[in-house]
Amino acid sequence: MLSVNLFPVFFLLALFPVAFFWFRRVYRILVKRDFSEVALKKGLPPPNAEKYAPYEMVINLIAGTVIVGVIIAVLFGLLEYQAWIAVAGSTLWIKLFASFALGRQAHGLGPKTKSEGNQEPR
């Protein structure tokens, strides 16, 4: 009887849409000049999203390229299971942390405070 561990298969299949979405973001930033998905915080881009667009594009381009490289390496048998799972998983996490950090940097750190002239009376 054939026994197949399904986790690697599902993880490999999940890498296809992940790479597609990351490359779609690169295309939107580079070609369409659409900055609506740049440095998001709570689903909203910063007011100066164009300033942070090159960084977001590079993050997505590098991560997407690594994921496509992993997919190709797995399909051609160039990487063993432990190696490609480690590379793909690390890439996913690093990309998420990098985009999160860029979003926090673009929106400013800490809560927004009201200026002294606009405070409500107590």
Side-chain angles (χ1 to χ4, degrees):
M1 181 174 237
L2 181 64
S3 175
V4 176
N5 187 357
L6 292 180
F7 176 74
V9 175
F10 287 137
F11 190 61
L12 180 65
L13 291 176
L15 293 179
F16 285 92
V18 167
F20 170 76
F21 283 113
W22 290 347
F23 279 124
R24 186 180 68 169
R25 279 188 171 188
V26 170
Y27 172 76
R28 284 183 177 178
I29 293 169
L30 187 63
V31 176
K32 288 189 164 188
R33 309 288 296 163
D34 176 14
F35 306 124
S36 62
E37 294 183 358
V38 171
L40 298 178
K41 181 177 180 183
K42 296 184 180 179
L44 299 173
N48 55 348
E50 189 172 358
K51 175 182 176 183
Y52 296 97
Y55 304 109
E56 184 76 24
M57 185 189 67
V58 167
I59 290 169
N60 284 290
L61 182 63
I62 291 172
T65 303
V66 170
I67 293 297
V68 168
V70 167
I71 291 170
I72 291 170
V74 169
L75 294 179
F76 287 106
L78 301 175
L79 286 176
E80 295 180 15
Y81 170 73
Q82 294 295 327
W84 75 264
I85 288 287
V87 172
S90 298
T91 302
L92 286 168
W93 281 108
I94 291 170
K95 192 274 182 200
L96 289 175
F97 285 136
S99 290
F100 178 81
L102 182 65
R104 294 313 165 266
Q105 178 68 28
H107 287 274
L109 300 174
K112 291 188 176 182
T113 59
K114 295 182 181 179
S115 63
E116 296 208 16
N118 294 335
Q119 288 184 353
E120 294 180 21
R122 295 182 184 192

